[in-house]
């Protein structure tokens, strides 16, 4: 997530001269992909409660999460970079 290694990457990006708003926007956009992780405790609990296999969850959710993250990265690039 962005709270551990992601925070270090964010500091590195900003220290390298990347616009702080762009770096933060990109990190928050990509963070949405981590919601798909079937090993996160809330996802494990929910999948168990709904009797849904984690492979089915990832297979069905990946295209939507990827599209949302890619769109958010592009929007942030246009807002803060281009």
């Amino acid at each position: 997530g962005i709270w551990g290694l992601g925070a270090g990457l964010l500091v590195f990006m900003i220290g390298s001269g990347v616009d702080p708003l762009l770096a933060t926007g990109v990190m928050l956009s990509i963070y949405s992909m981590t919601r798909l992780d079937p090993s996160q405790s809330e996802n494990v609990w929910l999948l168990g409660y709904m009797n849904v296999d984690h492979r089915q969850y990832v297979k069905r959710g990946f295209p939507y999460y990827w599209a949302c993250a890619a769109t958010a990265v592009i929007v942030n690039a246009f807002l803060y970079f281009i």
Side-chain angles (χ1 to χ4, degrees):
I2 62 171
W3 312 119
L5 180 60
L9 288 173
L10 185 62
V11 169
F12 177 76
M13 288 169 61
I14 293 171
S16 297
V18 175
D19 179 29
L21 290 175
L22 173 64
T24 304
V26 168
M27 291 298 286
L28 290 174
S29 301
I30 294 173
Y31 177 65
S32 66
M33 285 296 291
T34 64
R35 304 305 308 155
L36 189 61
D37 182 7
S39 65
Q40 286 189 348
S41 58
E42 65 269 15
N43 291 343
V44 171
W45 178 84
L46 185 61
L47 293 173
Y49 181 77
M50 296 175 55
N51 293 322
V52 174
D53 183 51
H54 68 279
R55 288 179 292 266
Q56 179 186 6
Y57 168 68
V58 172
K59 186 175 164 182
R60 294 185 74 197
F62 183 79
Y64 300 106
Y65 279 97
W66 193 91
C68 289
T71 302
V73 168
I74 291 168
V75 167
N76 278 297
F78 276 103
L79 287 175
Y80 302 113
F81 190 64
I82 297 176

